[in-house]
Amino acid sequence: MSSADETKRQAAAADLNEQALFYHRHPKPGKLAIQATKPVGNQRDLALAYSPGVAAPCLAIADDPNLAADYTSRANLVAVVSNGTAVLGLGNIGPLASKPVMEGKAVLFKKFADIDVFDIEIDAQEIDRIVDVVAALEPTFGGINLEDIKAPECFEVEERLRARMSIPVFHDDQHGTAIIVAAAVRNALLLGNKRIEDVKIVTSGAGAAAIACLNLLVSLGAKVENIICTDKDGVVSTGREGRIDRWMAVYAKETAAKTLAEVIEGADIFLGLSAAGVLKPELLEKMADRPLIMALANPTPEIMPDLARAVRPDAIICTGRSDFPNQVNNVLCFPFIFRGALDCGATTINEEMKIAAVDAIAALAREEVSEVAAKAYGSETPVFGAEYLIPSPFDPRLILKIAPAVAKAAEASGVASRPIADWDAYIDRLNRFVFRSGLVMKPIFQIARNSGKRVIFADGEDERVLRAAQVMLEEKICQPILVGRPSVIQTRLERFALRIRQGQDFEVVNPEDDPRYRDYVDHYFSKVGRRGVNPDTARALVRTNTTVIAAVSVSRGDADIMLCGLGGRFSRHIRDIKQVIGIAPGVKRLSGLSLLLSQYGTVFFADTYVQENPNAEELAEIACLAAKEVKRFGITPRAAFLSHSNFGTSDYPDAIKLREALSLVHQRAPDLEIDGEMHGDAALSQALRQRVMPNSTLTGDANLLLFPSLDAANISMNVVKVMTDALHVGPILLGAATPAHILTPSVTSRGIVNMAAIAVAQAVQQGDASR
């Protein structure tokens, strides 16, 4: 490395350190906080949360300790415990200095698996003291994650705690690393057409992680006689001087060899958990064909991948770094192993559960990469192979694969104290965590599934649409029709490693060469010929405007539903839909409805996208259409017209308009719970509303918010979305003669699936109503 490069590296490191310190200090020190999960807003809540009501669950648990899982947070609470003796690459920095790392581990548990954590840093060095302190915590926690405890003490500590405690005890530095390594080994051997029983494994490093990796590989079929360990003192041999504890002794060999260079001949796998630069390029020449090089030292591996590849272009390489392919990262497994273990009340995490996690991770890497995982890799979507042995930590399917596999293995091996009773419900609950729209969208998917409706996508070449199409076919939501050039679609299907095939799984409408082109032009001109469009323009638009093509397809009956909007202005898509598909009978204007899903609940906003300044008549129509759509989700609408005025406190024009709209809604939909005009906080809090309007016709908290203008609706929705980290579903276009929706440019593939399902549900119920 040149001096200039070294200067840049040091500057980058200093900048990162400065940012990290700011991150940990502001706006509030640390990375964790405790949040109540029950309301404590009045005297009644207080009586239930504490004295005297709390006595009831206490006595119930005293009679049956298993009820702690029902009445307390214990079944979802893990302790991350460390004494700070082997922190990351920092060494023995002590328990207090280790606290930022343990808080970070807690954040990962919550982020990836919704598991609550207390980080516990203990001032204990001796094994007996560590074991006594941790064992005494069993009544508080559903599981123990040991972290950053140095070897060989960590082996003894875990072994003794597992014997004493009836909850899972898991030293992630050992077993988390081992599980990811084993998954990578499994897939590398598959690519190399090798059997684990036959391969020679050589390690650099014989600490906690290395020994755990070897133990798990042996459980998977590797032969102890084919494994040679080396560490800083040389080859781990029966006759050598220096430390060989009882865990290392399993792999000690009778050999005169002293160095890594002497034992690496013919090795199929190099497992490095040691120090930078240990594996010299010339040693790679001695290894077997298609070797697996796992250089996992951080931050600098035993050999840099570019150096390794220069010598052995046939090698498969893994590191512990995120800037190279095949990162071995414990976050791939530990949150999801605990998720499965906690959910079935496992009393331990045994070998069967670890192997189940290995199999799930390895299998997931062989599936198509999800959109979220693909984004983590940048522009190139990885495909299973030498550059992609293990999934990205950001693949949302990890929890869906690993947690059930672990829970099933726990049950099969007899360590599940609360076996999963309903697997479909359990998978559904995990899906709702991954996809926050899962619960509210469930009735929509039930209506849409197996409908056979044909949905045409104007943006058929877009990666998100292609991914969504595969999901929709797998979940039997609809029959996709994609507008796009077949060659482009085929190239992208291959790039993203998607299984679906055009002409077999879905139809393609090629705007450059469609046999119905002339018919489409004639149909389009019949709709817009007296709206300023001449025949030449009509021909050009049917060749180039994919929204027009999709709309004509629906209007002619070649498709049942259309989705567009990933490019271009929203107003232009609205124009094309109005002109070609038209407005439903009895409806005067199109409008838009948005759904926000957050920790505060499900709230609908209208009209967020279409009508700029609706009058009272139009607001009444928006309210009735929106309420009908809310019911489609299985939700009873409770609507509120929002204003700066609170039940007549102002006579500004907008306030008067809302009062008139309310009167019209009462006439048209007397059964709809609706009131206004009112402040936003009054709409969302019955207690506040009752103070100013005790006889309000709205009960409970409003879930459908109606605004005097597009500005008010759209601004409010976007502010709430950011402040609450809410998931946006929509906009749902209301009032079209046939279901048609305009997607937003920022929509994800899952968002497209949601919108397609909503459109299909609309079409199904419209068909039912017409019969």
Side-chain angles (χ1 to χ4, degrees), residues 9 40 97 194 281 303 560 589 756 764:
R9 188 196 67 78
V40 189
K194 298 179 181 181
I303 187 169
D560 303 306
R589 294 189 65 185
V764 169

Side-chain angles (χ1 to χ4, degrees), residues 662-736:
L662 179 65
S663 178
L664 291 170
V665 173
H666 282 320
Q667 295 171 31
R668 298 178 184 180
D671 295 332
L672 175 60
E673 256 193 64
I674 186 169
D675 208 346
E677 79 287 8
M678 69 179 77
H679 289 172
D681 54 357
L684 297 174
S685 170
Q686 183 175 9
L688 285 175
R689 188 167 61 253
Q690 286 181 335
R691 292 178 192 172
V692 295
M693 187 54 60
N695 62 347
S696 172
T697 54
L698 175 64
T699 61
D701 301 339
N703 56 23
L704 172 56
L705 306 181
L706 302 149
F707 298 82
S709 69
L710 177 63
D711 271 353
N714 192 272
I715 291 169
S716 298
M717 179 198 69
N718 281 299
V719 168
V720 171
K721 180 173 70 174
V722 172
M723 292 183 68
T724 63
D725 189 28
L727 176 69
H728 176 219
V729 178
I732 303 166
L733 192 62
L734 306 177

Side-chain angles (χ1 to χ4, degrees), residues 529-540:
R530 294 184 180 272
R531 298 182 182 181
V533 177
N534 60 40
D536 287 340
T537 303
R539 283 190 286 271

Side-chain angles (χ1 to χ4, degrees), residues 297-317:
N298 258 326
T300 306
E302 284 80 2
I303 187 169
M304 294 298 288
D306 54 340
L307 289 177
R309 202 165 298 287
V311 177
R312 291 299 301 264
D314 63 331
I316 301 174
I317 304 169

Side-chain angles (χ1 to χ4, degrees), residues 498-514:
L498 298 175
R499 294 190 306 274
I500 54 174
R501 295 293 175 262
Q502 53 186 324
Q504 300 176 27
D505 301 310
F506 62 92
E507 180 186 341
V508 174
V509 176
N510 182 2
E512 296 179 343
D513 183 21
D514 189 279

